[in-house]
């Protein structure tokens, strides 16, 4: 699995505490209380709380207790946070499913690559692993993704499990630990091959997400084109953003 910084682990712990407070309609414990409960330093807790506020979980005001954004307990899949689809589906309370439709090594720019209208900016001649996957919730397909993962040097490909999350495949194949993604949103009709892959009798309008995962040094870990059908209620895409005034 991909390595995560300890600060992110603390953020996850505080999110669990946030969830308990949300269910109890309570306020967030104070910094000293959180430091005592987690065993982390107050400086680390303060940094983690800043991240929680940036992500919309809490609101802090000088001289007042930290308030919990209780609406986050009922929202769907947050587009400002990336999770593996299997995890997101399970967390939403559905039975997750994954089918790897294809996985093959290729070279960008070759006729077999089909790059007449590429969704990426990888240079011709770049060796890649191409995968196509479909995720389902309670047996109903709703996401199809085409991934391109650059293969660098003599990457370990023996025994590779193509069903692993793209973040982990990238770290295996090119050594890039993903730090962030740039995501572009669009809308389109399903192409015939996508319609067939999703098992649909007729084309449907879809949400299209094109994204590039990069490491801290700006090295490309992967490119992905993802199409999403109308999602189940608890998996609808949600963006949580802070409001700045004045």
């Amino acid at each position: 699995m991909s390595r995560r910084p300890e600060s992110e682990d603390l953020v996850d712990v505080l999110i669990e505490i946030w969830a308990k407070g949300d269910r109890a309609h309570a306020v967030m414990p104070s910094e000293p209380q959180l430091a005592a409960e987690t065993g982390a330093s107050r400086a680390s807790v303060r940094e983690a709380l800043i991240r929680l506020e940036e992500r919309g979980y809490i609101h802090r005001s000088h001289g007042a207790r930290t308030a919990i954004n209780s609406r986050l307990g009922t929202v769907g899949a947050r587009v400002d946070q990336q999770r593996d689809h299997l995890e997101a589906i399970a967390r939403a309370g559905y039975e997750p499913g994954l089918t790897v439709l294809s996985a093959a090594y290729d070279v960008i720019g070759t006729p077999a690559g089909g790059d007449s209208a590429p969704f990426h900016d990888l240079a011709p001649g770049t060796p890649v692993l191409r995968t196509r996957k479909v995720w389902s919730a309670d047996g109903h397909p709703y996401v199809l993704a085409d991934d391109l993962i650059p293969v660098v040097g003599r990457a370990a490909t023996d025994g590779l499990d193509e069903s692993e999350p793209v973040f982990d495949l990238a770290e295996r194949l090119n050594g890039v630990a993903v730090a962030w993604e740039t995501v572009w949103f669009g809308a389109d009709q399903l192409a015939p091959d996508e319609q067939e892959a999703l098992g649909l009798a007729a084309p449907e309008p879809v949400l299209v997400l094109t994204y590039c995962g990069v490491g801290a040094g700006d090295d490309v870990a992967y490119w992905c084109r993802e199409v999403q059908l109308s999602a189940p209620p608890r998996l609808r895409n949600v963006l949580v953003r802070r409001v700045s005034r004045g």
Side-chain angles (χ1 to χ4, degrees):
M1 296 294 291
S2 298
R3 294 181 295 276
R4 287 159 48 91
E6 292 183 3
S7 58
E8 280 298 305
D9 294 335
L10 179 57
V11 168
D12 283 347
V13 171
L14 295 193
I15 289 175
E16 292 177 4
I17 295 172
W18 167 88
K20 293 176 183 177
D22 180 43
R23 289 192 293 269
H25 304 287
V27 294
M28 198 74 174
S30 65
E31 282 184 17
Q33 290 172 322
L34 290 171
E37 184 172 346
T38 62
S41 68
R42 286 192 62 176
S44 296
V45 168
R46 189 174 302 116
E47 179 185 349
L49 287 172
I50 291 172
R51 296 192 184 190
L52 257 65
E53 186 169 26
E54 289 174 344
R55 299 175 190 181
Y57 285 95
I58 59 175
H59 178 71
R60 299 187 298 168
S61 300
H62 183 68
R65 297 295 298 273
T66 299
I68 286 175
N69 180 2
S70 60
R71 287 187 176 272
L72 282 191
T74 59
V75 302
R78 294 184 59 170
V79 295
D80 55 326
Q81 296 178 3
Q82 173 64 296
R83 294 186 185 275
D84 176 55
H85 282 299
L86 288 179
E87 180 185 355
I89 294 167
R91 287 170 66 97
Y94 301 102
E95 180 65 31
L98 168 63
T99 302
V100 179
L101 298 178
S102 62
Y105 292 97
D106 196 2
V107 176
I108 295 298
T110 62
D115 291 321
S116 57
F119 60 83
H120 57 84
D121 63 1
L122 296 174
T126 301
V128 295
L129 172 67
R130 292 179 180 269
T131 65
R132 170 167 279 196
K133 303 175 182 178
V134 171
W135 288 265
S136 61
D138 286 350
H140 301 288
Y142 89 101
V143 176
L144 179 146
D146 289 304
D147 294 338
L148 282 177
I149 308 169
V151 180
V152 175
R154 297 182 178 180
T157 57
D158 292 340
L160 193 71
D161 181 0
E162 290 86 358
S163 67
E164 289 183 3
V166 66
F167 337 110
D168 298 330
L169 290 174
E171 200 160 351
R172 284 274 302 273
L173 294 174
N174 53 51
V176 178
V178 181
W180 58 78
E181 289 181 341
T182 302
V183 185
W184 295 265
F185 294 88
D188 206 345
Q189 285 282 118
L190 283 174
D193 63 313
E194 295 170 336
Q195 177 185 327
E196 180 181 0
L198 289 165
L200 299 176
E204 292 189 18
V206 290
L207 173 68
V208 180
L209 283 71
T210 302
Y211 49 91
C212 178
V214 298
D218 205 34
D219 297 311
V220 173
Y222 52 80
W223 275 90
C224 177
R225 181 181 185 274
E226 182 175 292
V227 297
Q228 296 188 10
L229 300 174
S230 179
R234 296 190 298 276
L235 283 170
R236 290 174 181 164
N237 290 297
V238 175
L239 175 64
V240 179
R241 58 187 183 185
R242 297 181 65 188
V243 176
S244 298
R245 301 172 62 186

